[in-house]
Amino acid sequence: MAARRRLYDPTGERYGIPTFPWRMAPDGLATRRQLRARGLRLWYSRRYWCKGTSPIRVAYLYRLDLAKPVRPMTPAKWAVLAKANAAQRVCPECRRDAGYRIPTSLGMCVSCADAPQVAA
């Protein structure tokens, strides 16, 4: 219970930003995952946002009233995504489409990895 009191700083006096213990945030605030589940996104560009490190697990909270709807995927974005996924399915050894993403631990399709190595 001491940890809850330590993290409860709704005015931001102690830490510089308002902090709340687990499941004690007021209504109108949500985490990034909660925003995404509602079909919303952050209202600002994450490009300028730099997440700091902390020994305590944190979940940043965002105001629901400032969140915007998620942008829909355009045909161009779908095409680029399909091309990237297809490139990850091609085995660099046999040059065939494996039908699944090539494991990075193997670096090749499973059938090429399982094939006996021929000494030159």
Side-chain angles (χ1 to χ4, degrees):
M1 199 51 121
R4 285 185 184 262
R5 278 194 303 263
R6 183 177 57 138
L7 296 177
Y8 187 70
D9 181 23
T11 61
E13 226 173 88
R14 185 174 188 179
Y15 300 108
I17 60 171
T19 57
F20 304 94
W22 180 257
R23 297 189 183 268
M24 291 190 64
D27 292 336
L29 296 177
T31 63
R32 287 177 52 197
R33 285 187 180 188
Q34 291 167 337
L35 286 175
R36 191 64 178 187
R38 292 180 181 206
L40 300 172
R41 63 183 169 90
L42 301 177
W43 58 272
Y44 63 89
S45 172
R46 284 183 34 218
R47 188 163 98 187
Y48 302 106
W49 179 64
C50 184
K51 184 171 141 182
T53 59
S54 174
I56 300 172
R57 285 186 60 182
V58 296
Y60 294 96
L61 300 174
Y62 304 95
R63 290 179 44 186
L64 290 172
D65 59 337
L66 295 178
K68 295 182 177 181
V70 173
R71 293 183 191 109
M73 289 283 283
T74 63
K77 284 184 180 180
W78 281 113
V80 167
L81 187 61
K83 189 174 180 181
N85 286 333
Q88 292 176 346
R89 289 192 311 260
V90 176
C91 175
E93 293 292 316
C94 62
R95 298 283 182 209
R96 288 184 292 172
D97 186 348
Y100 54 87
R101 288 182 61 195
I102 303 295
T104 55
S105 59
L106 297 176
M108 59 187 80
C109 65
V110 176
S111 57
C112 288
D114 288 343
Q117 299 294 326
V118 178

